[in-house]
Amino acid sequence: MKKIIFIFIMLLCTMAAHSQKTVALHHNGTVVMFAGTTPFIDAYNAASNLDTIYLPGGVFSTVDMDKQLAIYGAGHYPDSSMATGKTVIANTFTINSNADSLLLEGIEFNAGVFIGATVNHLKFKRNIFQGITYNALPASSYSRFEGNVIRGNTNINYSNNTMFVNNIIIGSFAYAKNGDVLRNNIFMAVSYPISSCSYALFENNIFLTNNPGFLPAHTNEYNTFSNNVFTMQPGWGLNPDYNNYINVDISLIFVNVPDYAFSYAHNFHLQNPAVYIGVDATQCGLYGGMFGYKEGAVPVNPHIRQKTISSTTDASGNLNVNITVAAQNN
């Protein structure tokens, strides 16, 4: 039943979006559509805690998030969002204290995400960010970042028990601490992928860096590194290390990642998954662990693969619409 509702909403959005951006709000079993100049803001203002908002492809402005919502976009990979266009939030996305358990999936955040209050159990899934900052005390707790691309710098100084799994982390990552877990990520900041991290757990990650001294030089101490892949021999400093793979040539790791810069065209599958085994006996990198990276970062709501909508009606006044929708299991 839930999938049928998803498909119905996406079809409404797609048909309505033929002429304008239309946002759908799922509230108490009913669907309300919002168009106009600020459809996302209007849908948000009408929403109650535990409602769901569906964003089509397009660029949207937003207000500060202060409700417990689930918000789904159309995705951000160019090939996966070809039929709909990608979903983009243009301004800084600020999250406030009443937004516990906020879920964000399938969205491009052009100006970054700013957590400006104590808020817990946030979930960020299959998005792309221009930076993430937690900036409020008491610290937020139990956020999970899964399957995202993080372009800008990440600062989790005011976040506790935070989990980053199966992400592509391009900017520098700062202030992981005791209780924070970073597993099956790819770190791509060439000079200093992490800084000011202490007592955090790093497992099954792949570090693409040419700076062997980045750990002690950038105040990383007492972190545990287990079964990670490094493209050089790191100086461990005060960080315990176990069963890591060191001095691995980048050209021998992935199917197609020729350099240290992120591209949607790259293929992050391992050439030899059985060679680089993590602590859980699955492969290191994006496709190992419990939260394997999903191709194209397609969000969980049914995905529109192809659409053809006639520009005019036929002689009987009918509009010819042909839409191919693929259900998603996760």
Side-chain angles (χ1 to χ4, degrees):
M1 183 64 182
K2 189 174 182 181
K3 285 185 178 179
I4 294 173
I5 293 172
F6 276 154
I7 293 172
F8 174 69
I9 292 172
M10 294 307 293
L11 290 176
L12 285 176
C13 286
T14 300
M15 294 176 69
H18 184 54
S19 58
Q20 58 186 327
K21 291 184 298 184
T22 304
V23 173
L25 169 64
H26 188 207
H27 171 75
N28 289 338
T30 63
V31 178
V32 184
M33 310 296 290
F34 296 86
T37 57
T38 57
F40 184 22
I41 294 173
D42 296 339
Y44 172 81
N45 289 336
S48 301
N49 285 338
L50 306 183
D51 284 352
T52 302
I53 293 175
Y54 298 91
L55 300 174
V59 180
F60 298 90
S61 296
T62 185
V63 294
D64 293 359
M65 293 289 110
D66 207 25
K67 298 178 183 180
Q68 299 177 6
L69 303 174
I71 302 174
Y72 295 94
H76 65 87
Y77 269 67
D79 54 351
S80 301
S81 59
M82 188 176 299
T84 58
K86 60 185 180 180
T87 301
V88 179
I89 301 299
N91 55 316
T92 300
F93 194 91
T94 299
I95 302 174
N96 289 333
S97 59
N98 293 314
D100 283 358
S101 302
L102 177 69
L103 166 64
L104 301 163
E105 182 170 351
I107 302 170
E108 178 173 318
F109 295 91
N110 264 1
V113 173
F114 182 81
I115 295 89
T118 303
V119 55
N120 302 317
H121 299 284
L122 298 173
K123 186 175 181 181
F124 304 86
K125 189 174 181 180
R126 298 171 187 153
N127 307 290
I128 184 168
F129 304 95
Q130 189 61 45
I132 300 162
T133 301
Y134 284 78
N135 194 36
L137 288 173
S140 301
S141 296
Y142 304 109
S143 295
R144 189 170 93 195
F145 293 80
E146 176 188 335
N148 303 284
V149 178
I150 307 173
R151 287 187 178 276
N153 295 334
T154 301
N155 183 332
I156 60 169
N157 192 28
Y158 299 116
S159 177
N160 294 323
N161 300 299
T162 310
M163 179 177 286
F164 283 77
V165 288
N166 303 79
N167 302 283
I168 301 171
I169 302 174
I170 302 167
S172 183
F173 190 102
Y175 294 107
K177 65 195 74 66
N178 187 30
D180 296 334
V181 176
L182 296 101
R183 186 177 290 134
N184 288 97
N185 304 286
I186 297 177
F187 291 87
M188 301 189 74
V190 176
S191 180
Y192 57 102
I194 66 172
S195 64
S196 303
C197 296
S198 299
Y199 297 99
L201 181 62
F202 291 84
E203 295 180 339
N204 308 355
N205 304 288
I206 299 177
F207 288 84
L208 306 181
T209 174
N210 59 13
N211 179 7
F214 77 90
L215 287 174
H218 294 280
T219 325
N220 298 290
E221 299 177 337
Y222 308 110
N223 303 284
T224 299
F225 288 86
S226 298
N227 296 68
N228 302 280
V229 180
F230 293 88
T231 53
M232 46 69 206
Q233 167 67 69
W236 297 110
L238 299 176
N239 300 279
D241 66 288
Y242 305 95
N243 304 315
N244 294 286
Y245 307 90
I246 59 174
N247 282 327
V248 182
D249 190 324
I250 186 174
S251 67
L252 303 178
I253 300 174
F254 303 105
V255 171
N256 178 30
V257 181
D259 51 41
Y260 292 85
F262 171 76
S263 170
Y264 282 116
H266 288 169
N267 186 333
F268 289 92
H269 284 277
L270 301 184
Q271 291 183 28
N272 297 294
V275 173
Y276 307 109
I277 300 299
V279 296
D280 55 355
T282 69
Q283 62 181 293
C284 296
L286 293 183
Y287 297 96
M290 296 178 60
F291 307 99
Y293 198 81
K294 188 176 182 183
E295 299 296 350
V298 177
V300 70
N301 46 297
H303 182 62
I304 297 174
R305 288 182 173 174
Q306 183 178 1
K307 68 173 182 178
T308 304
I309 303 176
S310 297
S311 57
T312 59
T313 58
D314 61 20
S316 301
N318 299 313
L319 183 67
N320 186 25
V321 177
N322 187 355
I323 299 175
T324 302
V325 180
Q328 305 297 311
N329 293 323
N330 61 78

